[in-house]
Amino acid sequence: MAFASRRRPVKASASQAHEEDYDVYVYEAEPLEEGVRKHTLNVFVGDEAGMINRVAGVFARRGANIESLAVGLTQDKALFTIVATGTEATVANLCKQLAKLVNVRYVEDITDSDHLQREFFLAKVAAPPGVTRTELQQIAEAFRARVVDVADRTLTLGATGDPGKIVALQRALQKFGIVELVRTGRIALKRGDNLFQGPQVYRRVAPVANADTAAAPVAGGADDSDAGDVYSSAGATGEAAHEGVWNVRNVLDAAYEGRTGAGGDRYEPYTLLLEVQDRPGVLNQVTGVIARRGYNVQSLAVGNSEREGYSRITMVVPGDAAGVAKLMKQVTKLVYVDRVTNLNDGPFVARELMLVKVRADAARRGELVDLAAIFHASIVDVSPTTLTIEVTGKEDKMRALQAVLQPYGILEVARTGRISLVRDSGVDTKYLSSVAGNKVML
């Protein structure tokens, strides 16, 4: 992965850091070369073991640059949103190669279509108490960013918006010093009544008979397992394994749940944060290790970090503590992987972004606006027959919103996957449930 940008490290000032030095980073934009542009690709697939690895492999084998990647996954389908940098001919060839993969329903380059893009980011900013923190909160309010964690020396902000808004907010935060930054990939939906499967579709095929010949893998499997990234339909093979998948709309459910292994063990979803170098093929290397060990990725988000030449990958992997520890050791051995952090070891912030397009005639539009307000969601697009809603938060919130919108008719859903940062405050609900509280005598 490579990015058309340049960032330089600086030292925090004494007033910012209370005379304690630590690295913060400044973002500097760099224009693209002539003839090169950013393309937004939507890839809709039926689930098959190793699908994430295959998609990443297409880019790696051709040395193509992925600027961001977001994947919404369920147990029968997945939607990839990829921002790739290249010439028209290069990206067109990539789309054709992606379409040749087994169980890819279609690939569409929506760059030139009328669409909306959104992404979400979490930034940990140097903010000592006093005037600096007050000014930072005012900037956050101006950009409609939310404070999701408060510590002695830092504030963690979450914000959503189109790429221009995100970059503008990032530049506004530079004066304070960005300590850590994690971003989702961009997600995109066409505006109005337009759905995917438009005239730019590269391929639309029926399921292949030999596409899925194995049951769902068990987390922590052997190294030579051919199980992989995306949940398969357990107990079915060939065309039966994907029955109904190829005729559904792009509706994805938000569920990062544990799994039960062959021995009856319950696997917990682990959130892993990887910092990797911006090199073509690094994502393919990471997903390849995970696929060979038989783990399933339930969520994947890739975006640039605050460091020059580095990106952050956030993924949710179900497993047990021992198995995930071994997996982390294998991933750490990769040449371009700088650091792997298991966020389950302590309190952390976890958020994601979802776009939902719903049927909405004039009579029901008011009801949907009221429902969106209850969930602190935003209306980002309106047409005579549809409404597109943007919502950020935890997965339970996503699932609850989809449940109340289901009777109205959900047409499409795009999700970024989870992004996370360690809570400097050291406290969250899960942590509090494991410590003794004050005793109340009645």
Side-chain angles (χ1 to χ4, degrees), residues 39 41 86-99 107 109 202:
H39 293 255
L41 311 178
T87 62
E88 297 288 344
T90 300
V91 175
N93 182 56
L94 285 170
C95 291
K96 291 179 181 178
Q97 297 303 320
L98 287 170
V107 180
D109 183 352
Y202 282 85

Side-chain angles (χ1 to χ4, degrees), residues 78-386:
L79 177 62
F80 292 74
T81 306
I82 303 171
V83 177
T85 303
T87 62
E88 297 288 344
T90 300
V91 175
N93 182 56
L94 285 170
C95 291
K96 291 179 181 178
Q97 297 303 320
L98 287 170
K100 293 179 181 179
L101 297 176
V102 173
N103 280 335
V104 170
R105 185 183 183 189
Y106 65 83
V107 180
E108 187 171 1
D109 183 352
I110 66 171
T111 307
D112 294 324
S113 64
D114 188 14
H115 68 280
L116 58 93
Q117 294 187 18
R118 290 293 185 272
E119 61 179 303
F120 185 73
F121 91 139
L122 291 171
K124 189 178 294 182
V125 186
V131 177
T132 300
R133 179 165 295 190
T134 302
E135 184 181 355
L136 178 59
Q137 290 174 322
Q138 290 173 344
I139 291 177
E141 183 178 355
F143 281 91
R144 297 183 181 179
R146 296 181 180 178
V147 178
V148 295
D149 187 60
V150 180
D152 292 339
R153 299 173 54 220
T154 62
L155 286 182
T156 301
L157 304 176
T160 181
D162 57 41
K165 175 183 174 181
I166 296 300
V167 171
L169 176 56
Q170 186 174 341
R171 290 180 177 177
L173 297 177
Q174 288 175 0
K175 60 178 292 186
F176 303 97
I178 298 176
V179 181
E180 281 187 289
L181 175 68
V182 58
R183 300 170 66 166
T184 67
R186 300 177 195 172
I187 55 175
L189 288 180
K190 293 183 179 180
R191 291 188 179 274
D193 302 335
N194 299 318
L195 303 177
F196 295 145
Q197 308 174 28
Q200 299 179 30
V201 174
Y202 282 85
R203 185 188 185 201
R204 184 181 179 186
V205 297
V208 180
N210 63 353
D212 192 2
T213 57
V218 177
D223 288 352
D224 58 354
S225 171
D226 59 359
D229 307 301
V230 182
Y231 281 124
S232 303
S233 302
T237 58
E239 187 170 343
H242 299 279
E243 185 176 356
V245 173
W246 303 93
N247 298 318
V248 299
R249 296 189 183 277
N250 303 2
V251 178
L252 303 174
D253 298 319
Y256 306 142
E257 299 175 343
R259 302 192 62 210
T260 302
D265 298 328
R266 184 66 179 173
Y267 295 123
E268 177 185 356
Y270 283 80
T271 302
L272 305 181
L273 189 62
L274 289 70
E275 193 162 5
V276 301
Q277 297 181 32
D278 291 342
R279 299 294 183 93
V282 63
L283 179 61
N284 185 49
Q285 293 178 11
V286 171
T287 56
V289 170
I290 295 172
R292 287 193 297 273
R293 296 190 66 85
Y295 283 84
N296 294 312
V297 177
Q298 290 184 314
S299 171
L300 179 69
V302 182
N304 61 311
S305 74
E306 75 286 347
R307 296 176 61 190
E308 180 180 0
Y310 285 82
S311 300
R312 277 201 171 91
I313 302 174
T314 310
M315 59 176 61
V316 178
V317 179
D320 55 29
V324 170
K326 293 179 181 178
L327 177 65
M328 291 174 61
K329 289 181 180 178
Q330 295 298 321
V331 174
T332 305
K333 292 178 182 179
L334 296 175
V335 175
Y336 299 127
V337 174
D338 186 64
R339 181 171 54 185
V340 181
T341 305
N342 179 7
L343 296 181
N344 285 46
D345 290 339
F348 64 94
V349 179
R351 296 290 188 274
E352 64 178 298
L353 168 66
M354 181 172 68
L355 293 175
V356 186
K357 183 178 290 186
V358 189
R359 294 188 187 276
D361 54 25
R364 290 189 168 186
R365 195 169 297 143
E367 299 176 23
L368 289 168
V369 171
D370 291 340
L371 285 175
I374 292 173
F375 284 87
H376 299 285
S378 302
I379 308 298
V380 294
D381 187 64
V382 180
S383 76
T385 59
T386 65

